[in-house]
Amino acid sequence: MNPHAKLILITSLILGTTITISSNHWMLAWTGLEINTMAIIPLICKPHHPRAIEATIKYFLTQSTASALILFSSMTNAWSSGQWDITQLSHPTSSLLLTMAISIKLGLVPFHFWFPEVLQGSSLTTALLLSTLMKLPPITLLLLTSQSLNPTSLTLLAISSTLVGGWMGLNQTQIRKILAFSSISHLGWMIIIILYSPKLTILAFTLYVMMTTTVFLSLNQTKILKLSTMLISWTKAPMLNTTLMLTLLSLAGLPPLTGFMPKWLILQELTKQEMIPAATIISLLSLLGLFFYLRLAYHSTITLPPNSSNHMKLWLTNKTPNTSAAILTTLSTFLLPLSPLMIPM
């Protein structure tokens, strides 16, 4: 892709995200979402492969449907209350429509079908953008309107997302699909606590972005796209594979790694809110995700000789070390001791 075109698209992504997260008016927020959608579409279809074109069409159709629902929801609310302010969502139909629209934008269950397919048809860099930056505007809208939404529907969305995200990731062999279902499962943890402690949702989202970015950068460095190539990747970068294993275990939420912090604090807050059944269910469902994270971690550090594989061997090149990946890996694994600072949240 032309560097100037890529610069324009990345700038548009940042601009659209900034407009949405800093706006109080529904039309401005909707405009930012549309700029985001239009900017990411050329990045998805860049490989000129049938799967990339299919992913682009699926992404465009789902996002345009969600944007239309957001516009319809805001217009219905403005018609009934005369308010275009995002925080003044008072009409029940508008609240329901907005919940559906944000669920489609984020890829929450039962509107999750597009997300794994789009990630599978994208390059690793575009998949990283779709899993992190593109989630920020919808999460912000959900934070701003959370007090007006139905708590029961949010809890059901969260638990079903954690269930399906863990269940569907069990039999996948493509890394991008596994990370897509991982994203759906993590979003369930963020949504269940959003009404009771928005700061915890922000903390969970920040740590999720950090850990996912580390995983995608590591995979991009070694060009791993499926489990069978991960089996022989240790010969190319043994140290990188070891740190990738730690990051995957952190993403699974195992102590004493960083990923345990948000899950611990969310379960603590749910218990304080007397939502013990929901806390029990969501903690048990996280075991499903733990299985495929452990499988990924095992595949990343397995030391079988690479002679048994039918894959063409890749050339080893002396690449410059990725400093940002090293910093993110450190943060993704060793931040748990800072959790006492987060407890007053």
Side-chain angles (χ1 to χ4, degrees):
M1 182 181 282
N2 190 325
H4 300 295
K6 190 179 284 189
L7 177 64
I8 290 170
L9 293 175
I10 297 296
T11 309
S12 300
L13 276 176
I14 296 169
L15 175 67
T17 304
T18 308
I19 288 173
T20 302
I21 65 177
S22 59
S23 58
N24 288 320
H25 197 282
W26 273 114
M27 290 307 292
L28 267 178
W30 178 80
T31 305
L33 289 171
E34 287 303 297
I35 292 172
N36 256 358
T37 304
M38 290 298 108
I40 197 72
I41 281 174
L43 294 174
I44 299 173
C45 66
K46 182 181 65 173
H48 300 295
H49 188 274
R51 188 176 281 277
I53 305 301
E54 180 190 346
T56 307
I57 294 169
K58 285 179 179 175
Y59 184 78
F60 175 73
L61 291 176
T62 51
Q63 296 302 305
S64 55
T65 304
S67 295
L69 282 173
I70 288 175
L71 200 57
F72 187 44
S73 166
S74 57
M75 288 175 69
T76 308
N77 187 65
W79 191 18
S80 64
S81 65
Q83 289 283 342
W84 281 98
D85 196 326
I86 291 177
T87 56
Q88 304 297 320
L89 192 69
S90 54
H91 198 271
T93 308
S94 299
S95 299
L96 179 63
L97 286 172
L98 185 75
T99 307
M100 287 177 58
I102 298 294
S103 301
I104 295 172
K105 283 274 183 191
L106 288 172
L108 290 173
V109 176
F111 309 104
H112 66 287
F113 296 102
W114 65 272
F115 189 52
E117 298 297 326
V118 170
L119 240 64
Q120 181 59 29
S122 311
S123 65
L124 282 170
T125 312
T126 311
L128 170 61
L129 287 173
L130 287 169
S131 301
T132 54
L133 184 65
M134 299 302 289
K135 302 286 187 192
L136 183 55
I139 281 277
T140 307
L141 288 179
L142 205 58
L143 281 166
L144 290 171
T145 58
S146 58
Q147 300 306 318
S148 310
L149 304 180
N150 187 355
T152 310
S153 61
L154 284 179
T155 306
L156 283 175
L157 281 172
I159 290 175
S160 56
S161 296
T162 312
L163 169 64
V164 173
W167 195 270
M168 296 291 286
L170 291 178
N171 62 343
Q172 300 296 330
T173 57
Q174 300 289 334
I175 304 290
R176 283 167 292 184
K177 279 195 175 182
I178 292 175
L179 290 173
F181 287 115
S182 155
S183 175
I184 293 168
S185 179
H186 275 85
L187 283 169
W189 282 86
M190 297 173 211
I191 300 304
I192 200 167
I193 201 67
I194 198 166
L195 271 176
Y196 312 104
S197 180
K199 289 181 180 177
L200 270 184
T201 300
I202 296 169
L203 173 69
F205 181 72
T206 306
L207 294 180
Y208 161 75
V209 167
M210 190 168 59
M211 292 183 288
T212 306
T213 305
T214 310
V215 171
F216 272 108
L217 288 177
S218 302
L219 294 174
N220 198 36
Q221 188 88 354
T222 49
K223 305 300 178 201
I224 301 171
L225 295 177
K226 46 190 174 181
L227 286 177
S228 55
T229 52
M230 189 179 258
L231 279 170
I232 56 168
S233 63
W234 67 273
T235 55
K236 290 188 288 181
M239 197 61 204
L240 185 64
N241 271 30
T242 307
T243 55
L244 176 61
M245 178 202 69
L246 288 173
T247 311
L248 287 167
L249 293 178
S250 180
L251 204 53
L254 281 181
L257 302 169
T258 302
F260 178 63
M261 187 202 302
K263 292 188 176 181
W264 171 30
L265 295 177
I266 286 170
L267 289 175
Q268 185 182 22
E269 185 62 32
L270 286 175
T271 310
K272 284 181 185 175
Q273 299 293 335
E274 297 183 355
M275 293 179 66
I276 295 174
T280 307
I281 291 168
I282 202 167
S283 57
L284 289 174
L285 291 177
S286 68
L287 295 175
L288 291 171
L290 176 62
F291 176 81
F292 65 76
Y293 285 122
L294 285 174
R295 186 171 65 150
L296 276 175
Y298 173 72
H299 277 73
S300 67
T301 52
I302 197 166
T303 54
L304 287 177
N307 303 326
S308 58
S309 173
N310 295 323
H311 291 279
M312 185 173 64
K313 302 300 182 292
L314 299 175
W315 283 100
L316 300 182
T317 55
N318 292 322
K319 294 183 178 177
T320 54
N322 195 334
T323 312
S324 57
I327 296 169
L328 285 170
T329 303
T330 307
L331 293 175
S332 299
T333 48
F334 299 120
L335 280 187
L336 186 63
L338 295 180
S339 50
L341 299 176
M342 311 293 175
I343 289 175
M345 295 172 73

